[in-house]
Amino acid sequence: VQEMENVLIRPASPEDAPSILWMIQLIAEYEKEPYEPKLTRKEFLRDGFGEEKYFSALVVELKTGIPLVEEERRNSSTEMPSSSMERNERLIGYVLYFSRYSSWRGRMLHIEDLFVKEPYRGNGIGSQLMKECAKVAMSRGCHRMSWEVLDWNVDAIRLYKRIGGTLVHDWLCVRLVEDDLKRFAAAETNQTGTMLADVMIREANAADVPSLLWLIQLDSEHHEEPHEVVIGEKELLGDGFGEEKYFSALVVELKPGASPVEEAVSQDFPSSRLKPNSNQRIVGHAIYYHRYSTWKGRVLHVAGLFVREPYRGKGIGIQLMRECAKIAVAKDCPRMCWEVKKANSTALKFYDKIGSTCLPEWVIVRLVGEALSAFANS
Protein backbone atom coordinates (compact mmCIF):
# COMPACT_ATOMS: atom_id res chain seq x y z
CA VAL A 1 0.00 0.00 0.00
CA GLN A 2 1.38 3.41 -1.02
CA GLU A 3 0.22 6.42 1.01
CA MET A 4 -0.08 9.96 -0.32
CA GLU A 5 -1.39 12.90 1.68
CA ASN A 6 -5.10 12.24 1.09
CA VAL A 7 -5.23 8.88 -0.70
CA LEU A 8 -4.07 5.29 -0.50
CA ILE A 9 -2.89 3.31 -3.53
CA ARG A 10 -3.53 -0.38 -2.93
CA PRO A 11 -3.98 -3.64 -4.89
CA ALA A 12 -7.48 -4.04 -6.29
CA SER A 13 -9.78 -6.64 -4.74
CA PRO A 14 -12.83 -8.44 -6.19
CA GLU A 15 -15.07 -6.01 -4.27
CA ASP A 16 -13.62 -3.16 -6.36
CA ALA A 17 -14.93 -4.64 -9.63
CA PRO A 18 -18.10 -2.47 -9.91
CA SER A 19 -16.08 0.71 -9.30
CA ILE A 20 -13.35 -0.20 -11.81
CA LEU A 21 -15.89 -1.20 -14.46
CA TRP A 22 -17.61 2.15 -14.01
CA MET A 23 -14.33 4.01 -14.47
CA ILE A 24 -13.64 1.91 -17.58
CA GLN A 25 -16.90 3.27 -18.96
CA LEU A 26 -15.80 6.82 -18.11
CA ILE A 27 -12.59 6.26 -20.12
CA ALA A 28 -14.61 5.04 -23.10
CA GLU A 29 -16.77 8.17 -22.97
CA TYR A 30 -13.67 10.37 -22.82
CA GLU A 31 -12.24 8.55 -25.84
CA LYS A 32 -15.57 9.10 -27.67
CA GLU A 33 -16.42 5.40 -27.89
CA PRO A 34 -19.04 4.93 -25.14
CA TYR A 35 -20.54 1.76 -26.64
CA GLU A 36 -17.28 -0.16 -27.08
CA PRO A 37 -16.80 -1.67 -23.58
CA LYS A 38 -18.30 -5.19 -23.57
CA LEU A 39 -16.45 -6.62 -20.58
CA THR A 40 -18.82 -8.11 -17.99
CA ARG A 41 -18.31 -8.22 -14.25
CA LYS A 42 -18.13 -12.02 -14.41
CA GLU A 43 -15.35 -11.91 -17.02
CA PHE A 44 -13.47 -9.20 -15.12
CA LEU A 45 -13.52 -11.24 -11.91
CA ARG A 46 -12.57 -14.46 -13.73
CA ASP A 47 -9.61 -12.92 -15.54
CA GLY A 48 -8.28 -10.70 -12.74
CA PHE A 49 -8.97 -12.74 -9.62
CA GLY A 50 -9.48 -16.31 -10.84
CA GLU A 51 -7.11 -19.26 -11.17
CA GLU A 52 -5.58 -17.96 -14.42
CA LYS A 53 -4.77 -14.26 -14.02
CA TYR A 54 -4.58 -12.09 -17.12
CA PHE A 55 -4.00 -8.74 -15.38
CA SER A 56 -3.31 -6.96 -12.10
CA ALA A 57 -4.70 -3.63 -10.91
CA LEU A 58 -4.12 -0.92 -8.32
CA VAL A 59 -6.84 1.42 -7.07
CA VAL A 60 -6.70 4.89 -5.53
CA GLU A 61 -8.91 5.35 -2.48
CA LEU A 62 -9.59 8.48 -0.45
CA LYS A 63 -8.35 8.12 3.12
CA THR A 64 -10.87 7.88 5.94
CA GLY A 65 -12.07 11.35 6.88
CA ILE A 66 -11.19 12.96 3.53
CA PRO A 67 -14.43 14.27 1.97
CA LEU A 68 -15.39 13.84 -1.67
CA VAL A 69 -14.75 16.85 -3.88
CA GLU A 70 -18.12 18.63 -4.23
CA GLU A 71 -18.21 18.09 -8.01
CA GLU A 72 -17.66 14.36 -7.51
CA ARG A 73 -20.48 14.21 -4.95
CA ARG A 74 -22.86 15.76 -7.50
CA ASN A 75 -21.70 13.36 -10.22
CA SER A 76 -22.22 10.36 -7.96
CA SER A 77 -25.74 11.41 -7.01
CA THR A 78 -26.87 11.75 -10.64
CA GLU A 79 -25.51 8.40 -11.88
CA MET A 80 -27.84 5.46 -12.54
CA PRO A 81 -28.87 3.77 -9.26
CA SER A 82 -28.28 0.32 -10.77
CA SER A 83 -24.62 1.15 -11.44
CA SER A 84 -23.91 2.98 -8.20
CA MET A 85 -25.47 0.56 -5.70
CA GLU A 86 -22.34 -1.56 -5.25
CA ARG A 87 -19.74 1.02 -6.18
CA ASN A 88 -17.36 2.57 -3.72
CA GLU A 89 -17.50 6.29 -4.54
CA ARG A 90 -14.30 6.80 -2.57
CA LEU A 91 -12.32 4.97 -5.26
CA ILE A 92 -11.15 7.81 -7.48
CA GLY A 93 -8.70 6.12 -9.87
CA TYR A 94 -7.05 2.91 -10.97
CA VAL A 95 -4.33 1.44 -13.14
CA LEU A 96 -4.53 -1.96 -14.85
CA TYR A 97 -1.37 -3.70 -16.09
CA PHE A 98 0.05 -7.05 -17.17
CA SER A 99 3.26 -8.69 -18.39
CA ARG A 100 4.29 -8.58 -22.04
CA TYR A 101 7.28 -9.98 -23.88
CA SER A 102 9.72 -8.69 -26.46
CA SER A 103 11.44 -11.38 -28.51
CA TRP A 104 14.41 -8.99 -28.79
CA ARG A 105 14.66 -7.74 -25.22
CA GLY A 106 12.61 -9.98 -22.92
CA ARG A 107 10.18 -9.10 -20.15
CA MET A 108 8.07 -5.95 -20.26
CA LEU A 109 5.26 -4.46 -18.21
CA HIS A 110 2.32 -2.97 -20.11
CA ILE A 111 -0.13 -0.42 -18.73
CA GLU A 112 -3.52 -0.96 -20.37
CA ASP A 113 -5.51 1.68 -18.46
CA LEU A 114 -4.65 4.54 -16.16
CA PHE A 115 -7.49 6.73 -14.94
CA VAL A 116 -8.07 9.40 -12.30
CA LYS A 117 -11.50 11.00 -11.92
CA GLU A 118 -11.51 14.53 -13.25
CA PRO A 119 -12.00 16.46 -9.97
CA TYR A 120 -8.87 14.80 -8.54
CA ARG A 121 -6.47 15.37 -11.44
CA GLY A 122 -3.47 17.66 -11.20
CA ASN A 123 -2.48 16.40 -7.74
CA GLY A 124 0.21 13.92 -8.75
CA ILE A 125 -2.01 10.84 -8.45
CA GLY A 126 -1.56 9.77 -12.08
CA SER A 127 2.22 10.12 -11.85
CA GLN A 128 2.28 8.11 -8.62
CA LEU A 129 0.22 5.32 -10.22
CA MET A 130 2.73 5.16 -13.06
CA LYS A 131 5.58 5.13 -10.57
CA GLU A 132 4.03 2.18 -8.73
CA CYS A 133 3.85 0.31 -12.06
CA ALA A 134 7.49 1.15 -12.75
CA LYS A 135 8.42 -0.36 -9.37
CA VAL A 136 6.50 -3.53 -10.28
CA ALA A 137 8.32 -3.63 -13.62
CA MET A 138 11.71 -3.39 -11.92
CA SER A 139 10.80 -6.07 -9.38
CA ARG A 140 9.85 -8.44 -12.24
CA GLY A 141 13.11 -7.91 -14.08
CA CYS A 142 11.48 -5.98 -16.93
CA HIS A 143 13.66 -3.89 -19.22
CA ARG A 144 10.74 -1.81 -20.48
CA MET A 145 7.36 -0.40 -19.50
CA SER A 146 4.98 0.40 -22.33
CA TRP A 147 1.51 1.80 -22.97
CA GLU A 148 -0.45 3.44 -25.78
CA VAL A 149 -1.96 6.91 -26.11
CA LEU A 150 -4.30 8.57 -28.59
CA ASP A 151 -2.40 11.11 -30.69
CA TRP A 152 -4.86 13.91 -29.78
CA ASN A 153 -4.43 13.46 -26.01
CA VAL A 154 -1.84 16.23 -25.64
CA ASP A 155 -2.10 16.47 -21.84
CA ALA A 156 -1.23 12.80 -21.42
CA ILE A 157 1.57 13.01 -23.99
CA ARG A 158 3.05 15.98 -22.12
CA LEU A 159 3.06 13.95 -18.89
CA TYR A 160 4.65 10.92 -20.54
CA LYS A 161 7.45 13.01 -22.01
CA ARG A 162 8.06 14.65 -18.65
CA ILE A 163 8.64 11.31 -16.93
CA GLY A 164 11.08 10.17 -19.65
CA GLY A 165 8.73 8.22 -21.94
CA THR A 166 9.64 7.84 -25.62
CA LEU A 167 6.90 8.06 -28.26
CA VAL A 168 7.37 5.42 -30.96
CA HIS A 169 5.97 6.85 -34.20
CA ASP A 170 7.36 4.30 -36.67
CA TRP A 171 5.33 1.31 -35.44
CA LEU A 172 1.59 0.70 -35.91
CA CYS A 173 -0.82 -1.28 -33.74
CA VAL A 174 -2.84 -3.84 -35.74
CA ARG A 175 -5.94 -5.80 -34.70
CA LEU A 176 -7.98 -8.70 -36.00
CA VAL A 177 -11.26 -8.80 -34.08
CA GLU A 178 -14.33 -10.90 -33.41
CA ASP A 179 -16.02 -12.21 -36.59
CA ASP A 180 -13.00 -11.40 -38.78
CA LEU A 181 -10.76 -13.29 -36.33
CA LYS A 182 -13.04 -16.33 -36.28
CA ARG A 183 -13.40 -16.28 -40.07
CA PHE A 184 -9.62 -16.13 -40.56
CA ALA A 185 -9.02 -18.92 -38.01
CA ALA A 186 -11.58 -21.22 -39.68
CA ALA A 187 -10.47 -20.65 -43.29
CA GLU A 188 -8.39 -23.20 -45.16
CA THR A 189 -5.15 -22.01 -46.74
CA ASN A 190 -4.96 -22.61 -50.49
CA GLN A 191 -1.95 -24.93 -50.74
CA THR A 192 -1.37 -24.35 -54.46
CA GLY A 193 2.17 -23.06 -54.95
CA THR A 194 3.01 -23.36 -51.23
CA MET A 195 5.40 -25.48 -49.18
CA LEU A 196 2.77 -26.36 -46.56
CA ALA A 197 2.82 -30.05 -47.48
CA ASP A 198 6.55 -30.10 -46.64
CA VAL A 199 6.41 -28.48 -43.20
CA MET A 200 4.77 -28.99 -39.83
CA ILE A 201 3.83 -26.26 -37.36
CA ARG A 202 4.20 -27.36 -33.76
CA GLU A 203 4.59 -25.97 -30.26
CA ALA A 204 8.16 -25.03 -29.45
CA ASN A 205 9.98 -26.87 -26.68
CA ALA A 206 13.11 -26.16 -24.65
CA ALA A 207 15.33 -27.89 -27.22
CA ASP A 208 14.25 -25.29 -29.80
CA VAL A 209 15.67 -22.33 -27.84
CA PRO A 210 18.96 -22.07 -29.82
CA SER A 211 16.99 -22.09 -33.07
CA LEU A 212 14.50 -19.54 -31.77
CA LEU A 213 17.31 -17.22 -30.75
CA TRP A 214 18.93 -17.53 -34.16
CA LEU A 215 15.64 -16.73 -35.93
CA ILE A 216 15.18 -13.73 -33.62
CA GLN A 217 18.61 -12.46 -34.62
CA LEU A 218 17.78 -12.93 -38.32
CA ASP A 219 14.56 -10.98 -37.76
CA SER A 220 16.47 -8.05 -36.22
CA GLU A 221 18.86 -8.05 -39.20
CA HIS A 222 15.88 -8.05 -41.56
CA HIS A 223 14.69 -4.89 -39.76
CA GLU A 224 18.23 -3.45 -39.94
CA GLU A 225 18.47 -3.35 -36.12
CA PRO A 226 20.92 -6.20 -35.38
CA HIS A 227 22.20 -4.66 -32.15
CA GLU A 228 18.73 -4.40 -30.58
CA VAL A 229 18.66 -8.06 -29.57
CA VAL A 230 19.96 -8.35 -26.03
CA ILE A 231 18.12 -11.48 -24.95
CA GLY A 232 20.08 -14.70 -24.53
CA GLU A 233 19.36 -18.42 -24.44
CA LYS A 234 19.12 -18.44 -20.64
CA GLU A 235 16.39 -15.76 -20.64
CA LEU A 236 14.43 -17.43 -23.45
CA LEU A 237 14.63 -20.79 -21.72
CA GLY A 238 13.49 -19.45 -18.34
CA ASP A 239 10.80 -17.11 -19.63
CA GLY A 240 9.25 -19.47 -22.17
CA PHE A 241 9.80 -22.91 -20.66
CA GLY A 242 10.31 -22.29 -16.94
CA GLU A 243 7.89 -22.33 -14.01
CA GLU A 244 6.53 -18.83 -14.79
CA LYS A 245 5.84 -18.54 -18.51
CA TYR A 246 5.96 -15.12 -20.15
CA PHE A 247 5.41 -16.34 -23.71
CA SER A 248 4.58 -19.34 -25.88
CA ALA A 249 5.94 -20.14 -29.33
CA LEU A 250 5.22 -22.09 -32.48
CA VAL A 251 7.95 -23.28 -34.83
CA VAL A 252 7.80 -24.32 -38.48
CA GLU A 253 9.93 -27.38 -39.20
CA LEU A 254 10.61 -29.22 -42.43
CA LYS A 255 9.04 -32.68 -42.32
CA PRO A 256 11.35 -35.73 -42.39
CA GLY A 257 12.32 -36.35 -45.99
CA ALA A 258 11.49 -32.80 -47.15
CA SER A 259 14.44 -31.11 -48.85
CA PRO A 260 15.59 -27.62 -47.74
CA VAL A 261 15.39 -24.83 -50.27
CA GLU A 262 18.72 -25.00 -52.07
CA GLU A 263 19.97 -21.49 -51.27
CA ALA A 264 18.83 -21.54 -47.63
CA VAL A 265 22.05 -22.69 -45.97
CA SER A 266 24.30 -20.33 -47.90
CA GLN A 267 21.90 -17.39 -47.65
CA ASP A 268 21.11 -17.17 -43.97
CA PHE A 269 23.03 -19.97 -42.28
CA PRO A 270 26.68 -19.64 -43.29
CA SER A 271 28.69 -21.98 -41.09
CA SER A 272 30.63 -19.13 -39.49
CA ARG A 273 27.41 -17.65 -38.08
CA LEU A 274 25.45 -20.79 -37.29
CA LYS A 275 24.42 -20.91 -33.64
CA PRO A 276 25.58 -24.08 -31.88
CA ASN A 277 22.77 -26.65 -31.63
CA SER A 278 20.54 -24.70 -34.03
CA ASN A 279 18.23 -26.87 -36.09
CA GLN A 280 18.54 -25.80 -39.72
CA ARG A 281 15.26 -27.54 -40.51
CA ILE A 282 13.34 -24.95 -38.47
CA VAL A 283 12.39 -22.28 -40.99
CA GLY A 284 10.09 -19.95 -39.03
CA HIS A 285 8.48 -19.14 -35.70
CA ALA A 286 5.72 -17.19 -33.99
CA ILE A 287 6.02 -15.91 -30.40
CA TYR A 288 2.81 -14.96 -28.62
CA TYR A 289 1.32 -14.26 -25.21
CA HIS A 290 -1.93 -13.06 -23.68
CA ARG A 291 -2.68 -9.46 -22.86
CA TYR A 292 -5.91 -7.79 -21.74
CA SER A 293 -8.39 -5.21 -22.98
CA THR A 294 -10.63 -3.51 -20.43
CA TRP A 295 -13.21 -3.11 -23.19
CA LYS A 296 -13.12 -6.58 -24.74
CA GLY A 297 -11.34 -8.92 -22.30
CA ARG A 298 -8.73 -11.49 -23.32
CA VAL A 299 -6.42 -10.69 -26.24
CA LEU A 300 -3.77 -12.79 -27.96
CA HIS A 301 -0.71 -10.74 -28.92
CA VAL A 302 1.70 -11.97 -31.60
CA ALA A 303 5.05 -10.58 -30.46
CA GLY A 304 7.20 -11.97 -33.25
CA LEU A 305 6.50 -13.79 -36.49
CA PHE A 306 9.38 -14.63 -38.78
CA VAL A 307 10.00 -16.88 -41.78
CA ARG A 308 13.48 -17.30 -43.20
CA GLU A 309 14.01 -15.48 -46.49
CA PRO A 310 14.24 -18.52 -48.83
CA TYR A 311 10.91 -19.86 -47.47
CA ARG A 312 8.84 -16.69 -47.85
CA GLY A 313 6.02 -16.41 -50.36
CA LYS A 314 5.21 -20.09 -49.87
CA GLY A 315 2.19 -19.80 -47.56
CA ILE A 316 4.10 -20.36 -44.32
CA GLY A 317 3.62 -16.88 -42.82
CA ILE A 318 -0.15 -16.84 -43.33
CA GLN A 319 -0.45 -20.35 -41.89
CA LEU A 320 1.52 -19.30 -38.80
CA MET A 321 -0.86 -16.36 -38.36
CA ARG A 322 -3.82 -18.70 -38.80
CA GLU A 323 -2.50 -21.07 -36.11
CA CYS A 324 -2.21 -18.11 -33.73
CA ALA A 325 -5.78 -17.10 -34.60
CA LYS A 326 -6.99 -20.62 -33.80
CA ILE A 327 -5.30 -20.41 -30.39
CA ALA A 328 -6.96 -17.01 -29.79
CA VAL A 329 -10.42 -18.39 -30.60
CA ALA A 330 -9.83 -21.49 -28.45
CA LYS A 331 -8.78 -19.26 -25.54
CA ASP A 332 -11.97 -17.17 -25.83
CA CYS A 333 -10.08 -14.10 -27.10
CA PRO A 334 -12.26 -11.73 -29.19
CA ARG A 335 -9.13 -10.00 -30.49
CA MET A 336 -5.67 -10.81 -31.82
CA CYS A 337 -3.15 -7.99 -32.14
CA TRP A 338 0.42 -7.26 -33.16
CA GLU A 339 2.67 -4.37 -34.17
CA VAL A 340 4.23 -3.58 -37.54
CA LYS A 341 6.66 -1.03 -38.90
CA LYS A 342 4.86 1.73 -40.82
CA ALA A 343 7.39 1.36 -43.63
CA ASN A 344 6.65 -2.36 -44.10
CA SER A 345 4.21 -1.95 -47.00
CA THR A 346 4.30 -5.65 -47.91
CA ALA A 347 3.17 -6.69 -44.43
CA LEU A 348 0.52 -3.96 -44.31
CA LYS A 349 -1.03 -5.18 -47.57
CA PHE A 350 -1.05 -8.73 -46.23
CA TYR A 351 -2.69 -7.69 -42.96
CA ASP A 352 -5.33 -5.71 -44.83
CA LYS A 353 -6.06 -8.77 -46.96
CA ILE A 354 -6.86 -10.95 -43.94
CA GLY A 355 -9.31 -8.38 -42.52
CA SER A 356 -7.21 -6.70 -39.84
CA THR A 357 -7.35 -3.02 -38.93
CA CYS A 358 -4.40 -0.66 -38.43
CA LEU A 359 -4.74 1.97 -35.69
CA PRO A 360 -2.67 5.01 -36.76
CA GLU A 361 -4.28 7.21 -34.09
CA TRP A 362 -2.72 5.15 -31.29
CA VAL A 363 0.90 5.95 -30.44
CA ILE A 364 3.12 3.47 -28.57
CA VAL A 365 4.98 4.92 -25.56
CA ARG A 366 7.95 3.27 -23.87
CA LEU A 367 9.96 3.87 -20.73
CA VAL A 368 13.17 1.91 -21.16
CA GLY A 369 16.30 0.93 -19.28
CA GLU A 370 17.87 3.70 -17.21
CA ALA A 371 14.87 5.99 -17.71
CA LEU A 372 12.58 3.29 -16.24
CA SER A 373 14.90 2.70 -13.30
CA ALA A 374 15.30 6.44 -12.62
CA PHE A 375 11.54 6.99 -12.67
CA ALA A 376 10.84 4.00 -10.40
CA ASN A 377 13.40 5.23 -7.86
CA SER A 378 12.62 8.95 -8.04
Side-chain angles (χ1 to χ4, degrees), residues 109 132-145 372:
L109 191 90
E132 294 306 310
C133 289
K135 291 176 183 177
V136 172
M138 297 299 294
S139 71
R140 292 185 181 181
C142 299
H143 72 283
R144 177 191 295 172
M145 187 166 79
L372 173 61

Side-chain angles (χ1 to χ4, degrees), residues 1-9 60-67 90 92 120 122-125 128:
V1 176
Q2 174 67 39
E3 291 198 31
M4 297 177 70
E5 185 177 356
N6 295 320
V7 300
L8 294 174
I9 297 176
V60 186
E61 186 170 23
L62 290 174
K63 287 182 179 178
T64 303
I66 302 297
R90 299 184 68 79
I92 61 169
Y120 301 95
N123 295 303
I125 296 172
Q128 190 61 41

Side-chain angles (χ1 to χ4, degrees), residues 100-101 285-291 299-306 320-321 324-325 336-339 351:
R100 287 184 59 181
Y101 207 77
H285 78 281
I287 290 176
Y288 64 91
Y289 53 81
H290 288 93
R291 54 184 292 180
V299 177
L300 189 113
H301 187 98
V302 182
L305 188 148
F306 181 76
L320 266 175
M321 288 286 289
C324 290
M336 184 168 83
C337 65
W338 58 95
E339 293 162 3
Y351 298 147

Side-chain angles (χ1 to χ4, degrees), residues 10-23 41 44-46 48-50 55 57 59 61 83-91:
R10 60 168 174 81
S13 68
E15 292 72 30
D16 298 322
S19 305
I20 295 174
L21 288 168
W22 179 252
M23 288 187 279
R41 179 175 176 177
F44 184 84
L45 290 171
R46 175 197 67 186
F49 304 94
F55 67 85
V59 293
E61 186 170 23
S83 67
S84 60
M85 256 189 272
E86 296 180 81
R87 286 192 296 105
N88 176 0
E89 62 183 13
R90 299 184 68 79
L91 290 190

Side-chain angles (χ1 to χ4, degrees), residues 46-47 52-56 97-101 108 110 112 140 181 245-249 287-293 297-303 323-337:
R46 175 197 67 186
D47 295 336
E52 191 174 3
K53 286 187 66 173
Y54 284 77
F55 67 85
S56 299
Y97 60 91
F98 46 80
S99 294
R100 287 184 59 181
Y101 207 77
M108 299 189 292
H110 185 83
E112 179 66 13
R140 292 185 181 181
L181 174 61
K245 287 186 66 171
Y246 286 82
F247 72 89
S248 299
I287 290 176
Y288 64 91
Y289 53 81
H290 288 93
R291 54 184 292 180
Y292 208 74
S293 161
R298 299 176 180 181
V299 177
L300 189 113
H301 187 98
V302 182
E323 294 302 318
C324 290
K326 289 177 183 178
I327 293 168
V329 172
K331 281 283 193 177
D332 197 25
C333 301
R335 179 188 294 172
M336 184 168 83
C337 65

Side-chain angles (χ1 to χ4, degrees), residues 149-168:
V149 62
L150 284 161
D151 56 9
W152 51 260
N153 194 345
V154 292
D155 290 338
I157 290 171
R158 191 179 299 118
L159 165 65
Y160 301 151
K161 286 181 176 178
R162 191 166 70 241
I163 67 172
T166 302
L167 274 66
V168 183

